[in-house]
Amino acid sequence: MSRPASLLRNALIAALLAATLGACGRSDDRAVEVAVIGDPAAPFVTGPRLPLAAQLVRAASAEGLVGFDEQGRVIPAIADRWIVTDDGLSYIFRLRDGKWPGGGAITGETGRAALVRAIGALRGTALGSDLAVIREVRAMAGRVIEIRLHQQAPDLLQLLAQPELGLTMRGNGAGPMRLERDKRTAILTPIPPEDLGLPQPEEWEARRRKLNLVGLSAKDAIRRFNAGEADVVLGGRFADFPRLDAAGVPRGAIRLDPVTGLFGLAVARAEGFLGAPENREALAMAIDRDALAAALNVGGWTATTRVVAPGSADDNGTVAERWPGQTLAERRAVAAARVAAWQAENGKPAALRIALPAGPGGDLLLRQLAADFGAIGLTVRRVSEAGDAELRLVDTVARYARVGWFLNQLSCGNARGPCSASADRLAETAVAEPDPVKRADLYAQAEAQLTIANTFIPFGVPVRWSLVSGTVTGFAPNRWNIHPLMPLAMRPK
C-alpha cells in the first residue's frame, strides 16, 4: 500500500473512531427517561395526599431530614447525622451546613419550622396518624433539632424519610435535584453537592445526568419501554401486570418488589346484605385465595386472611389465619346459608356493587370474585370508583412493617366506610403504652376487633412491579416500593 493510501486509510479509521466515540458520548449524555403509571398531571400534584409521580418529584426536589437510597434504606439528607437517646424517646439531628433555596441558612430554627409545617399538613391522613407518636419538635443550639416522642418509635426514621415530609422554605425544597417543568414533563437535574454545603467528589460532574419524568397510562408506558423511549417504568400494580406478557416485555426487564401492605376489599357501605358483620364475613369465607394466586400469576405472591400482614413487627402471634381446619367447601357452605337466610328474610336476591380499577388485572379480579361470590348465591356488578360502590379495592403498600400501620389505615379516621371504634380505642391505648409486651397485646386485641367487624376482606400482599432497561443503574427492588430518582440519574463510579 502506498504512503498516501495508508495515510488516507488511517485518517478514515480515525474519523470513524471519533464519530463512534462522539455518538457514544451523545448517547451517554442523554437524559434518563422515566415513565410513571398514572395521570399525566400527577407529577405536579401538591397537598397531603400525593400520587406516586408526585411523591417521586417531591422526594427528589425537597428532601427531608433523612431520605431513602435505592435499596429503601434510610440515609442522611438535610440532617447529616443523628443520635437516639438511650430511652428511645428523643432523636437529635444535626443539620448540614448549607442554605435554603433563595438564601437563608439552614438552622435549627428554620429546620424546626419547616418540619412542623410538614407534619401539620398531614393532619387527618393515615401518615398523620403514624406521626402521632411525636410529642414535640424543638430547635436547639446552632443547626440542631430534637424530636421528642410519647413512646419509643423504632420506625421514626422510616416515617421522616417519606416524601410528604420533604422540607421546604417559602415553597421551595433544598434538593437533591433541581426541578423544572416543561408542560407535563418534570425535568430534574442533580444539584452539585458543593451547592448544598457538602463535599463534591472530583468525578461528580461527569456522573450526573438529567432525568425526565412523565405520567402515562400503563399501556403507553409499556409501549414506550418496548420502543426504547423509556428507560424505566415505575408504579406497576396488579391491574396492569397481565399487559406485560401480552406486550412481549422481556422477563429480565421486570422487577417485582417484595412488599407488604393491604390488598383486599373494603366495605364502603354497611347496608343491605353488608349491614351485618356475619354477612360481611361470608364474603371473606367464599374467596378462593389459591385460585386468585394462580390467576394473578405473580411469583412469590402471598395470600392471607388476616387484616395485619403476618410477621409484622409488634405482631405477638396470638391472631392466626382465620377458619383453621375448614376447607373452602365447608366455608362456602356456611357462607351460602347466611346468604340464603338473608334473601329469605328480605324477599330479594343479594347483589353487590364493586369498584375495581380498569385494566386486565381488574377484569381478572372481577371474574374471580364473581365466581367466588356466585358460589354462595351472590351476584356482583362493577361500578366506577366514584359510583355507589358497596365494596372498593384497597391496594396500598405499607410505609413501615408494624401492626400500627395497618390499624391506622383502617381506622375510623381513614377507612372511608364502616369501622371499629373499639379497635381504634385499643390502638390508641397501645400507642401510649410504654411496655412493648403490653403494647403488642393491645395491638392484637385491636386486630381481633377489626376482624370481628369484617370491614376489610383481605386477599394477600399487594403487587408492585417496575420495568428497568439494561442500561440503567441505581435501581433495586425493595420491600417498600421505594425507587428514588437521584440514584437513577447518576452514572456508576
Side-chain angles (χ1 to χ4, degrees), residues 422-479:
S422 59
D424 282 3
R425 286 192 294 271
L426 285 162
E428 289 169 6
T429 304
V431 169
E433 173 55 58
D435 184 285
V437 175
K438 293 179 180 178
R439 183 164 64 248
D441 183 62
L442 287 164
Y443 277 141
Q445 293 179 51
E447 182 185 355
Q449 289 298 309
L450 268 177
T451 302
I452 292 169
N454 288 293
T455 57
F456 177 71
I457 302 163
F459 300 151
V461 298
V463 175
R464 292 295 184 272
W465 56 267
S466 305
L467 301 180
V468 184
S469 72
T471 62
V472 169
T473 58
F475 179 97
N478 59 77
R479 67 188 303 199

Side-chain angles (χ1 to χ4, degrees), residues 236-247:
R237 299 187 176 208
F238 92 97
D240 294 298
F241 190 73
R243 294 186 190 275
L244 301 179
D245 277 343

Side-chain angles (χ1 to χ4, degrees), residues 19-276:
T20 301
L21 291 171
C24 289
R26 286 193 297 275
S27 175
D28 201 36
D29 287 341
R30 74 177 181 84
V32 179
E33 302 293 337
V34 176
V36 182
I37 296 173
D39 192 293
F44 302 101
V45 170
T46 59
R49 292 180 173 87
L50 300 176
L52 176 60
Q55 288 180 339
L56 291 163
V57 170
R58 175 70 179 263
S61 59
E63 60 190 350
L65 292 178
V66 291
F68 290 114
D69 69 5
E70 63 269 30
Q71 296 185 44
R73 298 174 300 197
V74 173
I75 57 173
I78 288 180
D80 56 17
R81 70 194 75 170
W82 56 87
I83 61 170
V84 184
T85 55
D86 290 342
D87 61 7
L89 297 177
S90 176
Y91 284 64
I92 300 171
F93 298 85
R94 182 175 177 83
L95 310 185
R96 69 174 182 240
D97 185 7
K99 293 183 179 297
W100 296 101
I106 295 175
T107 66
E109 288 289 350
T110 58
R112 175 194 175 278
L115 180 59
V116 168
R117 280 198 304 272
I119 293 172
L122 293 169
R123 288 195 185 97
T125 69
L127 181 54
S129 299
D130 295 331
L131 295 167
V133 70
I134 294 176
R135 179 161 63 92
E136 182 184 11
V137 181
R138 299 174 65 242
M140 301 176 73
R143 302 192 308 277
V144 178
I145 66 172
E146 178 188 18
I147 298 178
R148 293 183 174 181
L149 309 178
H150 291 291
Q151 68 163 59
Q152 292 182 0
D155 299 291
L156 181 67
L157 295 176
Q158 183 89 5
L159 290 172
L160 294 175
Q162 299 299 323
E164 292 85 348
L165 285 167
L167 304 185
T168 61
M169 185 60 61
R170 300 184 185 89
N172 296 312
M177 305 181 83
R178 185 171 291 112
L179 172 65
E180 300 174 84
R181 180 172 183 171
D182 182 7
K183 297 179 181 177
R184 290 191 166 182
T185 300
I187 303 171
L188 292 140
T189 307
I191 300 172
E194 62 183 4
D195 292 352
L196 300 175
L198 301 170
Q200 183 159 315
E202 290 183 7
E203 76 282 4
W204 195 87
E205 283 292 343
R207 292 182 58 209
R208 70 168 176 167
R209 293 181 290 178
K210 283 189 176 183
L211 183 147
N212 297 329
L213 182 147
V214 295
L216 294 173
S217 69
K219 184 177 180 180
D220 286 344
I222 294 169
R223 178 190 59 75
R224 284 201 189 184
F225 183 84
N226 278 344
E229 298 169 1
D231 301 301
V232 181
V233 175
L234 301 175
R237 299 187 176 208
F238 92 97
D240 294 298
F241 190 73
R243 294 186 190 275
L244 301 179
D245 277 343
V249 176
R251 279 289 168 179
I254 303 170
R255 303 286 193 274
L256 287 167
D257 284 314
V259 298
T260 188
L262 292 172
F263 180 47
L265 294 176
V267 178
R269 298 168 183 265
E271 302 170 353
F273 178 75
L274 298 180

